[in-house]
């Protein structure tokens, strides 16, 4: 509506002049549309403040350690950057998809570092992932900072049921008719071949019989066990971790139908009457010992047979007491998931 015409007052009446100016201001505000509002420090974005007070820090994500992991892995990763705060959450993304790699937890270390526990599923696509950090609705992105590698192939170990001449015997469970089978993911068994596709590239074939990650709720045999039978009559039955070294990698690999000598380590869990660790090897921690390596033959591209040398070269070195014992070994390793 039009403003009223006010009389021009003489300069000698300042009180009347102030009254006129206030009247103009009040009439002007009253004539604004009802939807308009006057910005205040609490409602204007220009006056927004972070919850903790002070200016809002920029979030940067610069690196991760480690920066690689194979499929089917749970790993702790340090995220480096700046502007981190309590309550930060991390996410892994490939081409914008954040569902492929799972961040189980994110913990605050300091303003420049977070720690994330990351699960890389067996089916996670191979590639370089972005690492994203969210804090109070703000986001920092580190492009292609973490690489998922092809997972280590799973393996199956079989030990013959006809074990009268063997010093290392199975629990005789999960039989295929002629052998006891220790298969990856079944009843506490974790079995891998750290081959050319993995980050380690060690060529190690490993077997663990009491791994909680692979325990089946229907498995009454957990943990799976091995029995070591000594020539002095001692019988020791316990869960075990086994490591057969260097059977397939980029530096050294056994050709098909060829045989090589390799070392084997068997570590028994808990306590028992025998040795806690046995090594079929002539060198332990750089020093010569009275042990003998095993014969490893590659029969197919995916199969290796392992057995002791003929007596008297069939001795295993006991780490506990420094003695060696004649202990015959015979088993087969099958790589059942191709790279």
């Amino acid at each position: 509506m039009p403003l009223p015409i006010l009389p021009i007052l003489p300069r000698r009446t300042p009180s009347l002049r102030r009254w006129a100016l206030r009247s103009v201001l009040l009439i002007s505000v009253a004539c604004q549309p009802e939807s308009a509002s006057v910005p205040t420090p609490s409602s204007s974005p220009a006056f927004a403040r972070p919850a903790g007070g002070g200016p809002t820090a920029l979030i940067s994500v610069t690196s991760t350690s480690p920066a690689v992991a194979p499929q089917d892995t749970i790993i702790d990763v340090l995220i480096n950057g700046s502007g981190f705060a309590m309550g930060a959450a991390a996410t892994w993304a490939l081409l914008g998809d954040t569902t492929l790699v799972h961040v189980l937890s994110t913990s605050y270390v300091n303003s420049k570092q977070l720690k994330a526990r990351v699960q890389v599923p067996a089916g996670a696509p191979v590639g370089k992932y972005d690492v994203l950090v969210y804090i109070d609705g703000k986001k920092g992105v580190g492009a292609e900072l973490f690489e998922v590698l092809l997972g280590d192939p799973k393996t199956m170990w079989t030990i013959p049921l006809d074990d009268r001449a063997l010093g290392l015997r199975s629990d005789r469970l999960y039989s295929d008719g002629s052998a006891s089978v220790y298969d990856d993911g079944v009843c506490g068994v974790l079995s891998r071949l750290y081959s050319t596709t993995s980050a380690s590239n060690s060529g190690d074939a490993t077997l663990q019989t009491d791994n909680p990650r692979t325990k089946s709720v229907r498995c009454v045999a957990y943990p799976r066990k091995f029995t070591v039978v000594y020539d002095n009559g001692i019988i020791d039955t316990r869960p075990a971790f086994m490591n057969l070294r260097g059977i397939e990698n980029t530096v050294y690999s056994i050709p098909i139908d060829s045989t090589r000598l390799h070392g084997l380590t068997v570590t028994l869990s808990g306590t028992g009457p025998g040795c806690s660790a046995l090594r079929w090897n002539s060198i332990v921690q750089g020093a010569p010992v009275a042990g003998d390596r095993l014969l490893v033959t590659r029969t197919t591209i995916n199969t290796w047979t392992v057995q002791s040398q003929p007596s008297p070269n069939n001795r295993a070195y006991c780490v506990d007491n420094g003695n060696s014992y004649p202990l015959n070994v015979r088993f087969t390793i099958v790589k059942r998931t191709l790279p």
Side-chain angles (χ1 to χ4, degrees), residues 37-55:
S37 61
V38 179
T40 63
S42 61
S43 64
S44 173
F47 292 93
R49 294 289 184 267

Side-chain angles (χ1 to χ4, degrees), residues 160-208:
L161 298 176
D162 181 10
D163 55 11
R164 288 168 294 180
L166 299 181
L168 183 67
R169 303 179 183 181
S170 72
D171 57 10
R172 308 182 73 85
L173 301 176
Y174 293 86
S175 170
D176 64 1
S178 62
S180 181
V181 178
Y182 294 80
D183 197 3
D184 183 88
V186 178
C187 195
V189 173
L190 182 68
S191 178
R192 293 288 191 271
L193 175 60
Y194 296 93
S195 66
T196 59
T197 62
S198 72
S200 65
N201 190 31
S202 63
D204 292 3
T206 62
L207 172 64
Q208 182 183 5

